[in-house]
Amino acid sequence: MKFNNRNVFISNKATIGKNVRIGDDTTIYDNVIIDDDSIISNNCIIGEPLSDYYDDTNYENPITRIGKSSLIRSHNILYAGSTFGDNFSTGHRVTIREYSNFGVHCRIGTISDIQGYSSFGNYCWLHSNVHVGQKSTLGDFVFLYPYVVLTNDPTPPSNICIGPTIGDYSQVAVFSVILPGVKIGRHCLVGAGSTVAKDVEDYQLVLGMPAKNIKDVREIKSRESGEAQYPWPFRFDRGMPWENSGYDKWKDEQ
Amino acid sequence: MKFNNRNVFISNKATIGKNVRIGDDTTIYDNVIIDDDSIISNNCIIGEPLSDYYDDTNYENPITRIGKSSLIRSHNILYAGSTFGDNFSTGHRVTIREYSNFGVHCRIGTISDIQGYSSFGNYCWLHSNVHVGQKSTLGDFVFLYPYVVLTNDPTPPSNICIGPTIGDYSQVAVFSVILPGVKIGRHCLVGAGSTVAKDVEDYQLVLGMPAKNIKDVREIKSRESGEAQYPWPFRFDRGMPWENSGYDKWKDEQ
Amino acid sequence: MKFNNRNVFISNKATIGKNVRIGDDTTIYDNVIIDDDSIISNNCIIGEPLSDYYDDTNYENPITRIGKSSLIRSHNILYAGSTFGDNFSTGHRVTIREYSNFGVHCRIGTISDIQGYSSFGNYCWLHSNVHVGQKSTLGDFVFLYPYVVLTNDPTPPSNICIGPTIGDYSQVAVFSVILPGVKIGRHCLVGAGSTVAKDVEDYQLVLGMPAKNIKDVREIKSRESGEAQYPWPFRFDRGMPWENSGYDKWKDEQ
């Protein structure tokens, strides 16, 4: 239903792989490379030109690369100069600005707004309406839940731009803000509605405004089963590389 | 100005009622039914296919039904498999995923993101930028204000999905989060910026992070008039079924 | 790349200045005036008709005016009846409703949602995902950071609509809510995640839920340099009218 080649515009400077499907009302600008077996759904803009384009008559669009088997849902705006690893997928109305680099198997939720100049590891999952300020750095398997905001200006307004760093496997729950330059370790959990103003050690649960250390995440038990809930890779594997082997075995093989 | 039949695509498997207007740049996919006297404004996608569509060559779009006299403003994405009662209306850029069922006279505000598999009573009004996680249940006359978030995963990430339940006439103010599985009674008021982690009894005002019981809503007086402000149906009737009769009389007739 | 006149619709009742560029898939409705040297990028709707349009066969679109040298990025919806001063610029997917009046050099970030009937001074910068309720009043050089919300209904739901007022040079940090009718003075700073329920005096730093007075902003020192950070015009000039002269000199000339 979506791939009728109706009102589709593809630059002759774009490179489209094998078995790529491009939806109606979608525009692919100069110097975009889309790898094999990917789907760009309808009403998308891929390779959005940077601001200089509006003034510079010699403007050349930087290269944008979308890895293979990716699925970009409708109404995405992906700027030129960003790279998306294989199996990248998005919800609707995602905006990702220039020089954002994603590992493989990342997922970005509906209406999320990635401001650019940031780095994402493998298997980062951002849910709906997440805002990532410039110069943020995420490790692997970092999950950000709805309405999480990563900031970068300690004394607004200023020309300082120091984004947060979030370590592998850490989870940031809904409506939390990570303040500029804060470093969150590995396997951390930030509770809902927190404002994180200080660095967080590995395996810490933090909560509140400002966020305080509550306990080690390994002490969090399920109310139902009484079993430990964290580190989460031991109990959650949907879509993860250890889905068939178990985390222990997969980890040993890395 | 909006109904020039420019770049409009309507599936020949869609059923369009009498006196329906469809805006420019709008797409209506398979198995959508639009009842009489409704308006689908410009740049909308109605009957968005579910994820299976991308892989399943035998995919058939589930039925989507929009009741009569509805007004869908521009840039909405309404997934297939959802049903919208009569007099449904939306702001701009609303995304509503599959198997969301709405009673009559519901309103959904600009940029709101309804994740699907949820149930809404009659006269639910969601303002701008509300996020409703899957498996949420709302009664009648529930109002959610801007940036309210309903969540469903108690130990993220997990495969557990237990949405909140919100009773008739309850109001959730701006920037509040309702945590997974929480049950909010009837005629409650959740104050701005609250994180609701425990069930709320009928007629309670709760506030804070975590939200605490403050008082019975019937004790809230207007600063100006000194009069009781809740239950609100006694003082507010715009767009309500008791608009001409008064709430008492309407209630008696139910 | 963007200006190929593909699927562009311009009302013959619109007035387009010299050297204006209009992007593909953009629609300009009746009685829109776009001044010289402005850019309306792709997929925009300019002069969106008000609600009456859907029912009133004699509807006439009120005048919309976009000042010279403005840059409207893609996917904006700007309602009829609003006026935008010279050098207005926006991110993507901005929605601005009717009777919003902006001074010169204002900037509105991606996904922001301006509900109309509001007034903005000169050089107001709203970052991503800001929500401005109706009847809000902002002075000059007011900066609102991501996910700031301005509200207007003290006892929801009601027919009362009293928006906040924010004085010149004040800054509202990420995730803060300004409650209905609150007056914030000049040169104030609202810290991240605050709920502002009471009026704020000039030069106050407020923080928390509810926001409390913390200190005079002139006492805030840089952690690095030890220097005073506020009033910010003495240390920040990018894009400001005192960019070449310094704030003191510019101020003297006003």
Side-chain angles (χ1 to χ4, degrees):
Chain A
M1 298 180 280
K2 290 183 161 217
F3 305 101
N4 307 303
N5 212 25
R6 192 171 46 86
N7 194 30
V8 172
F9 175 81
I10 302 175
S11 162
N12 59 18
K13 295 182 184 168
T15 306
I16 311 296
K18 286 182 207 157
N19 196 29
V20 166
R21 287 179 279 174
I22 295 180
D24 299 343
D25 296 303
T26 276
T27 296
I28 315 278
Y29 287 119
D30 294 358
N31 303 325
V32 169
I33 300 164
I34 302 175
D35 287 347
D36 297 351
D37 302 314
S38 284
I39 297 170
I40 313 296
S41 194
N42 51 291
N43 295 81
C44 288
I45 305 289
I46 310 295
E48 170 78 11
L50 280 58
S51 276
D52 290 347
Y53 165 71
Y54 296 108
D55 299 320
D56 178 358
T57 52
N58 295 315
Y59 176 83
E60 180 150 359
N61 220 21
I63 288 172
T64 311
R65 179 161 212 142
I66 297 179
K68 67 184 169 61
S69 301
S70 293
L71 170 55
I72 308 300
R73 285 195 175 75
S74 79
H75 299 83
N76 276 222
I77 302 170
L78 307 186
Y79 268 68
S82 286
T83 60
F84 307 94
D86 295 349
N87 296 285
F88 184 72
S89 76
T90 65
H92 302 279
R93 310 182 204 280
V94 171
T95 310
I96 302 180
R97 281 185 50 193
E98 65 269 25
Y99 304 116
S100 301
N101 296 311
F102 293 85
V104 299
H105 286 274
C106 289
R107 298 184 182 186
I108 311 294
T110 292
I111 352 179
S112 286
D113 172 26
I114 313 298
Q115 295 268 300
Y117 300 90
S118 286
S119 163
F120 300 78
N122 299 317
Y123 291 87
C124 285
W125 288 11
L126 278 59
H127 290 243
S128 292
N129 213 339
V130 167
H131 176 92
V132 176
Q134 294 191 354
K135 305 245 175 121
S136 297
T137 305
L138 279 70
D140 296 331
F141 307 104
V142 172
F143 291 17
L144 307 182
Y145 293 90
Y147 296 66
V148 162
V149 175
L150 274 52
T151 65
N152 56 27
D153 182 353
T155 51
S158 82
N159 291 314
I160 300 173
C161 182
I162 43 167
T165 301
I166 304 181
D168 300 344
Y169 302 104
S170 284
Q171 309 278 307
V172 182
V174 56
F175 261 131
S176 291
V177 185
I178 314 299
L179 292 182
V182 165
K183 289 185 188 355
I184 294 179
R186 302 169 80 242
H187 287 290
C188 299
L189 177 59
V190 176
S194 298
T195 300
V196 186
K198 288 194 291 193
D199 291 356
V200 178
E201 297 284 307
D202 292 352
Y203 292 102
Q204 272 296 321
L205 165 63
V206 298
L207 181 66
M209 190 172 94
K212 290 176 184 162
N213 287 344
I214 303 296
K215 60 169 89 169
D216 189 298
V217 298
R218 289 165 291 197
E219 297 170 26
I220 302 172
K221 311 291 184 196
S222 163
R223 266 188 260 179
E224 288 74 31
S225 66
E227 286 174 15
Q229 297 297 297
Y230 299 89
W232 60 266
F234 290 105
R235 63 170 176 81
F236 181 85
D237 62 10
R238 178 165 45 86
M240 298 291 110
W242 55 87
E243 189 162 3
N244 294 311
S245 63
Y247 179 65
D248 270 334
K249 187 154 185 290
W250 174 83
K251 191 78 188 156
D252 287 347
E253 289 165 357
Q254 299 306 300
Chain B
M1 298 180 277
K2 289 185 161 212
F3 305 101
N4 307 302
N5 213 24
R6 193 170 46 86
N7 194 31
V8 171
F9 175 81
I10 301 175
S11 162
N12 57 19
K13 296 181 184 167
T15 305
I16 310 296
K18 286 180 208 159
N19 195 27
V20 166
R21 287 178 277 173
I22 295 180
D24 298 343
D25 296 303
T26 276
T27 295
I28 314 277
Y29 286 120
D30 293 359
N31 303 326
V32 169
I33 300 164
I34 302 176
D35 289 346
D36 297 351
D37 302 313
S38 284
I39 298 170
I40 313 297
S41 194
N42 53 290
N43 294 81
C44 288
I45 305 289
I46 310 295
E48 170 79 10
L50 281 58
S51 276
D52 290 348
Y53 165 72
Y54 295 109
D55 298 320
D56 178 358
T57 52
N58 295 315
Y59 176 83
E60 180 150 358
N61 220 21
I63 288 171
T64 311
R65 178 160 213 143
I66 297 180
K68 68 184 168 60
S69 301
S70 293
L71 170 55
I72 309 299
R73 285 196 175 73
S74 80
H75 299 84
N76 276 223
I77 301 170
L78 306 186
Y79 268 68
S82 287
T83 60
F84 307 94
D86 295 348
N87 294 286
F88 184 73
S89 75
T90 64
H92 302 279
R93 312 183 203 280
V94 171
T95 309
I96 301 180
R97 281 187 48 193
E98 65 271 23
Y99 304 115
S100 301
N101 296 310
F102 292 85
V104 300
H105 286 275
C106 289
R107 298 184 183 187
I108 312 295
T110 292
I111 353 180
S112 286
D113 171 27
I114 313 298
Q115 295 268 300
Y117 300 90
S118 286
S119 164
F120 299 79
N122 299 317
Y123 292 86
C124 285
W125 288 11
L126 279 60
H127 289 241
S128 292
N129 213 337
V130 167
H131 176 94
V132 176
Q134 294 191 353
K135 305 242 175 125
S136 297
T137 305
L138 279 71
D140 297 331
F141 307 103
V142 172
F143 290 17
L144 307 181
Y145 293 88
Y147 296 68
V148 162
V149 175
L150 275 50
T151 65
N152 56 26
D153 182 354
T155 51
S158 82
N159 290 314
I160 300 172
C161 182
I162 43 166
T165 300
I166 305 182
D168 300 344
Y169 302 103
S170 283
Q171 308 278 307
V172 182
V174 58
F175 261 130
S176 291
V177 184
I178 314 298
L179 292 182
V182 165
K183 288 185 192 351
I184 294 180
R186 303 169 80 241
H187 287 291
C188 299
L189 176 59
V190 176
S194 298
T195 300
V196 185
K198 289 195 291 193
D199 291 354
V200 178
E201 298 284 308
D202 292 352
Y203 292 100
Q204 272 296 322
L205 164 64
V206 299
L207 181 66
M209 191 173 94
K212 290 176 183 161
N213 287 343
I214 303 296
K215 60 168 91 170
D216 189 299
V217 298
R218 289 165 291 196
E219 297 171 26
I220 302 172
K221 310 291 185 198
S222 162
R223 265 188 261 179
E224 288 75 29
S225 66
E227 287 174 15
Q229 297 297 297
Y230 299 89
W232 60 266
F234 291 105
R235 62 171 175 81
F236 181 84
D237 62 9
R238 179 166 43 88
M240 298 291 109
W242 54 86
E243 190 162 3
N244 295 310
S245 64
Y247 180 65
D248 269 334
K249 187 154 185 290
W250 174 83
K251 191 78 188 156
D252 287 348
E253 290 165 357
Q254 299 306 301
Chain C
M1 299 179 277
K2 291 184 160 215
F3 305 101
N4 308 302
N5 212 25
R6 194 172 45 86
N7 194 31
V8 171
F9 175 81
I10 302 176
S11 163
N12 57 19
K13 296 181 184 166
T15 306
I16 310 296
K18 286 180 208 160
N19 195 27
V20 166
R21 287 178 278 173
I22 295 180
D24 298 344
D25 296 303
T26 277
T27 296
I28 314 279
Y29 286 120
D30 293 358
N31 302 326
V32 169
I33 300 165
I34 302 175
D35 288 346
D36 297 351
D37 302 313
S38 283
I39 297 171
I40 313 296
S41 193
N42 52 291
N43 294 82
C44 288
I45 306 289
I46 310 295
E48 170 78 10
L50 281 58
S51 277
D52 290 348
Y53 164 72
Y54 295 109
D55 298 321
D56 178 359
T57 51
N58 295 316
Y59 176 84
E60 180 151 358
N61 221 21
I63 288 171
T64 310
R65 177 160 213 143
I66 298 180
K68 67 186 169 62
S69 301
S70 293
L71 170 55
I72 309 299
R73 285 196 174 74
S74 80
H75 299 84
N76 276 223
I77 302 171
L78 306 187
Y79 268 67
S82 286
T83 59
F84 307 94
D86 295 348
N87 295 286
F88 185 71
S89 75
T90 65
H92 303 278
R93 309 183 206 280
V94 171
T95 310
I96 301 181
R97 281 187 49 194
E98 65 269 23
Y99 305 115
S100 301
N101 297 310
F102 292 86
V104 300
H105 286 275
C106 290
R107 298 184 181 187
I108 311 294
T110 291
I111 353 180
S112 287
D113 172 25
I114 313 298
Q115 295 267 302
Y117 301 89
S118 286
S119 164
F120 300 78
N122 300 317
Y123 292 87
C124 285
W125 288 12
L126 279 59
H127 289 242
S128 291
N129 214 338
V130 167
H131 176 92
V132 176
Q134 294 190 353
K135 306 248 175 118
S136 297
T137 306
L138 279 72
D140 297 330
F141 308 104
V142 172
F143 290 18
L144 307 180
Y145 293 89
Y147 296 67
V148 162
V149 175
L150 275 49
T151 65
N152 55 28
D153 182 353
T155 53
S158 82
N159 290 313
I160 299 172
C161 183
I162 43 167
T165 301
I166 305 182
D168 300 343
Y169 301 105
S170 283
Q171 309 278 307
V172 182
V174 57
F175 261 131
S176 291
V177 184
I178 313 299
L179 292 182
V182 165
K183 289 185 189 352
I184 294 180
R186 303 169 80 243
H187 288 290
C188 299
L189 177 60
V190 175
S194 298
T195 300
V196 185
K198 288 194 291 193
D199 291 355
V200 178
E201 297 283 307
D202 292 352
Y203 293 103
Q204 271 295 323
L205 165 63
V206 298
L207 180 66
M209 191 174 93
K212 290 175 186 163
N213 287 344
I214 302 297
K215 61 169 89 168
D216 189 299
V217 299
R218 289 165 290 197
E219 297 171 27
I220 302 172
K221 311 291 185 198
S222 163
R223 265 188 262 179
E224 287 74 30
S225 67
E227 287 174 16
Q229 296 297 297
Y230 299 89
W232 60 265
F234 291 105
R235 62 171 175 80
F236 181 83
D237 62 11
R238 179 166 44 85
M240 297 291 109
W242 54 86
E243 189 162 3
N244 294 312
S245 63
Y247 180 65
D248 269 333
K249 187 153 184 292
W250 174 83
K251 192 78 187 154
D252 288 347
E253 291 165 358
Q254 299 306 300

